[in-house]
Amino acid sequence: MNSTLSSSRPRAPRRPWLLDPRFQRVLLPLLVALVLLSAWQWTVTALALPPYVLPTPLQILATLWADAGMLLSALLFTLKITVLSFLMAIVLGVLASFLFVQSRLIETALFPYAVLLQVTPVVAIAPLIIIWVREPTLSLVLCATLVALFPIIANTTLGLRSVDADLQSYFRLNRATRLQTLWRLRIPSALPYFFGGLRISSGLALIGAVVAEFVAGTGGSATGLAYQILMAGYQLNIPRMFAALLLISVAGIGLFVLMAWLSRLALGSWHASESSHD
C-alpha cells in the first residue's frame, strides 16, 4: 500500500540546468568577468595605450606564462606566510574566545586590547616586529597574524555567548559541569559564527602577508608576490605587476572558497545557514 502511494505521488519537475542556482553561482560571475575583460581589452587596444601605462588582459596572461616559474615560486612563499599566520590566528583566537566566555569581567578587561590590535595599522608596527624578531619568516607571520586575529576572536566569542537560554537552563538542571556545557552546548552553537570568522580571517591573513612583505622589502630567493610587485614597479614592468596581482586575487578567492566548502561540510547536515541552500 505504501509503495503504491509513494509511486503515485507526482514528482517535482526537473529544473532546467540554466536555472539551477548552483550552476548560476558559477556562470553569472564568469559572464560578468568575460564582459569586463573584453571591454578592458577593447578599450586599451582602441586607445593604443602602451603596456607600461595599462596592459591588456592578453599581455598580462602572456607575462604570467613567460614568468611562471618566478611568480609561482613567489606565490608559494606568500601562501606559506598566509597559511602559517592563519593557523596561528585560529589557535590564538579560539583560546582567547574560550577565556573571554568564562567571565564577563575577563572579557571586559581584555577585549579592548583585541580591538586595539584590530585598529592599529600593521604598517605602523610591522617595522618594530621585523626589528625585534630576527627571523624574517617568523616576523612576517606575526605581522599577518595580527591582521587576521580579530575576526576569529569577535565571531567565536559572539557564538559562544549566543546560546539558547532554555538549553542553558536545561544543562543547569542536569548539573552539567562547565566543561560539559562548553563542549556540548557552547561550541556547537558557536560553529556557524566560527566558520564565518574563518572566511573573513583567511582573506585578511593573505592581506597581512602581502603588507608585511611590502614593509620588509627583502630580496633574495625567499621572496613573495609583494616583492615582485615592488620590483615590477621599479622596472616599469606593469604587465608583471598585474600578473602578480592576479595571482594574489586568485589565491584570495581560493581561500574563501575553501573556507566556504569547509563550512558547508561541517554545518550542511544540521544548520540552517548551510542546509537551506538550493
Side-chain angles (χ1 to χ4, degrees), residues 128-148:
L128 293 175
I129 295 176
I130 293 171
I131 292 172
W132 291 339
V133 181
R134 301 285 180 159
E135 213 284 320
T137 301
L138 180 58
S139 63
L140 297 178
V141 170
L142 290 176
C143 292
T145 301
L146 294 179
V147 178

Side-chain angles (χ1 to χ4, degrees), residues 100-217:
F100 291 164
V101 81
Q102 299 306 312
S103 169
R104 285 287 185 182
L105 290 177
I106 295 176
E107 182 179 356
T108 303
L110 298 181
F111 194 81
Y113 294 99
V115 178
L116 182 64
L117 290 177
Q118 173 69 11
V119 299
T120 302
V122 69
V123 177
I125 60 177
L128 293 175
I129 295 176
I130 293 171
I131 292 172
W132 291 339
V133 181
R134 301 285 180 159
E135 213 284 320
T137 301
L138 180 58
S139 63
L140 297 178
V141 170
L142 290 176
C143 292
T145 301
L146 294 179
V147 178
L149 183 59
F150 183 76
I152 296 179
I153 294 178
N155 282 38
T156 307
T157 302
L158 177 62
L160 292 172
R161 292 288 187 195
S162 301
V163 177
D164 186 89
D166 294 334
L167 289 176
Q168 201 165 1
S169 300
Y170 176 77
F171 270 68
R172 289 199 193 98
L173 287 174
N174 287 274
R175 298 184 179 180
T177 63
R178 185 183 293 269
L179 182 60
Q180 288 175 328
T181 303
L182 176 66
W183 182 253
R184 298 185 179 182
L185 179 60
R186 291 191 182 276
I187 290 180
S189 300
L191 283 180
Y193 298 87
F194 170 71
F195 281 105
L198 291 188
R199 296 186 191 187
I200 302 171
S201 182
S202 61
L204 290 179
L206 178 61
I207 294 173
V210 173
V211 171
E213 291 174 15
F214 271 122
V215 176

